Each structure stands twice: as structure tokens, then as C-alpha cells.
Amino acid sequence: MSQPGDQSPSVDGTEQVRVARIGKPHGIRGEVTVQVYTDEPQERFVSGAVLSARPGGGAGAAGRGGQLTVVRARWNKDILLLSFDEVLTRNQAEELRGTELFAAPEAADDDDAWYEEDLVGLAVLVDGQEVGTVTGLQTGDFQDLLQIEVQGGAEALVPFVDEIVPEVDPESGTITLTPPPGLLTLNGPDEDAAGGATPGPGEPA
């Protein structure tokens, strides 16, 4: 899965999605840390995979363009490290900082495969009432989490599972939740003077 708005054409006009953003170098042999934007890194970053490299967007854009060929991918705790055939030194790796990596979209094998750009901006409905907006998607090895800005400014993380997210409808611009009590307030920053959590949308005070 990729970040919002990151589905874009490659040089030859085919659609690609962002799968990672390169961070700082690791070691002296050209290895780099990456921020992963795909839920299948074990398939995206196999040895020999060719990725499109593009400078990062926005102000102060950094990085480089071209193509990078994966030599090795490995995990250092929860950080993915990549090495490329074209990058052999720490100085070359430093030049990649901020580079965004793109690849062809994954072949969807079922109706439950979603990219982040499909979800961000969708209105969140609970019992037919709008309670917030999807702002992101955190992918994990065992479970993905929807980032939701709840009305009032709090942020909630919601497991992206059928039991809690039974319906995603990009055409209508909505996503329906059936959250257990308190789920939408677990990460809320506001607490009352007595230390109790502020009631969330549709929850009793």
C-alpha cells in the first residue's frame, strides 16, 4: 500500500505506486534505511527487483531519479534496510536520501486489497453518522491500522479488519466502522480534569 496521491505514471506512461522512501545510509557499503509504503515488502524488495527512483516531492525535494536494482533486503529490528546494485559507497547512499521508490501496482487478488491513496480522505461512518476522516494507513506484518482523525481533532488507530471495517466505498467517499466501545478514543489527547477520557462520537458521557 502506498501513501496518498502516490499513484503516478512512469517514464513510459504505465501506472506505478510508491513503495518506499529512502532515509539515511546504514554502514559504509551503500546500504540504506527505508520507510515502507507497501504491505508486501517481502515481495516488493526481492533480489533483482528494479524500482523507479524519483526525487522526493514538496519543498526541499531531495534524492535522485533513475532506476535502482535491489541486491538485498533485510530487517534490522523494525527497520528495513536495502542495498542496490548501483550504490556501493556511503557517499552514494547519502545522495539517495529522500528518494522515493515506485513500482507497478500489485495485482489485486481479492476485493479487500486497498492502497492508502484509496482510503485517505474517506469520511468515516458509525451507525450512519460521520465521525471523522481517514488520514493514513499503517501497514504491519500481522495487521494494518487505519489512522482516523476523529471530529474534534483527536487521532485514533483502528484495526483494518472485516469485523471493525465492514465496508469501504470509495465511490461514495465513505468507510463504515463498527468499532467496539472506546476504540475511537484510545489515542485521544483530551482528558477531563478528573483524568477520564473524553467521550467519543456516539458514546455516552
Side-chain angles (χ1 to χ4, degrees), residues 130-133 135 148-156 184-185 187-191 198-202:
E130 183 174 343
V131 299
T133 305
T135 58
I148 294 175
E149 182 177 343
V150 182
Q151 290 177 350
E155 182 184 81
L184 295 181
T185 61
N187 300 289
D190 296 325
E191 295 186 352
T198 302

Side-chain angles (χ1 to χ4, degrees), residues 172-191:
S172 68
T174 62
I175 185 169
T176 298
L177 304 187
T178 55
L183 179 63
L184 295 181
T185 61
L186 287 178
N187 300 289
D190 296 325
E191 295 186 352

Side-chain angles (χ1 to χ4, degrees), residues 11 51-56 62-68 95-96 99-101:
V11 174
L51 305 173
S52 296
R54 308 180 197 176
R64 53 168 266 192
Q67 290 187 326
L68 293 170
E95 293 173 359
L96 290 179
T99 297
E100 296 179 342
L101 301 176

Side-chain angles (χ1 to χ4, degrees), residues 12-162:
D12 63 6
T14 58
E15 288 296 320
Q16 294 191 321
V17 295
R18 185 172 64 166
V19 294
R21 180 183 178 90
I22 294 177
K24 63 184 180 180
H26 181 83
I28 62 174
R29 301 185 183 276
E31 202 170 34
V32 296
T33 63
V34 297
Q35 182 177 4
V36 177
Y37 297 128
T38 172
D39 58 353
E40 296 185 341
Q42 70 279 5
E43 296 182 10
R44 286 295 194 184
F45 307 117
V46 296
S47 178
V50 179
L51 305 173
S52 296
R54 308 180 197 176
R64 53 168 266 192
Q67 290 187 326
L68 293 170
T69 306
V70 177
V71 174
R72 184 175 69 157
R74 67 185 181 92
W75 290 94
N76 181 9
K77 296 183 180 179
D78 59 348
I79 298 174
L80 182 63
L81 304 175
L82 296 181
S83 56
F84 302 103
D85 186 53
E86 299 83 356
V87 183
L88 302 177
T89 68
R90 184 178 181 89
N91 286 343
Q92 290 175 325
E94 183 63 45
E95 293 173 359
L96 290 179
R97 190 190 291 254
T99 297
E100 296 179 342
L101 301 176
F102 287 76
E106 299 168 356
D109 55 4
D110 57 53
D111 292 337
D112 295 326
W114 297 101
Y115 290 111
E116 188 172 27
E117 65 265 25
D118 297 325
L119 303 170
V120 170
L122 296 183
V124 178
L125 304 181
V126 175
D127 295 330
Q129 300 296 314
E130 183 174 343
V131 299
T133 305
V134 178
T135 58
L137 178 67
Q138 296 183 9
T139 58
D141 292 337
F142 303 105
Q143 186 179 77
D144 295 343
L145 297 172
L146 285 172
Q147 295 175 216
I148 294 175
E149 182 177 343
V150 182
Q151 290 177 350
E155 182 184 81
L157 296 176
V158 175
F160 196 5
V161 295
D162 291 341

